[in-house]
Amino acid sequence: IPGASAKRDWITKLVGEVNGTGPVVYIGDSATDLLALLEADIGILIGESCSARRIARRFGVHLESLDSVCGVQWGQVDQFMPKDMLLEVTCWDDIQ
């Protein structure tokens, strides 16, 4: 989906359709994914995008390693995460 606002709108619609029956997870790798990552119940920033991390921090988004929430049951991660927090991983192998 091209464009930051289109990605966010798609996730917003999906969150509404799911309506609490399960968490919506969005995995993105660039600054254009930030709005969708924040809109999802669980946003995971993947890769080494310095610009995405810099922009996120500039707007007060807290980046937390996925490893730091490994003790939390997957079904409870969305309840644990504040809306201004994204999880981060370096590669797909980090998501298991």
Side-chain angles (χ1 to χ4, degrees), residues 29-70:
D29 65 353
S30 70
T32 63
D33 290 309
L34 287 173
L35 293 175
L37 287 163
L38 290 166
E39 191 63 32
D41 296 317
I42 301 169
I44 301 174
L45 183 59
I46 189 170
E48 300 293 328
S49 175
C50 292
S51 62
R53 283 169 174 72
R54 184 173 55 251
I55 292 168
R57 288 186 183 108
R58 183 180 304 152
F59 286 96
V61 175
H62 179 69
L63 299 172
E64 190 70 43
S65 169
L66 180 62
D67 291 338
S68 70
V69 296
C70 283

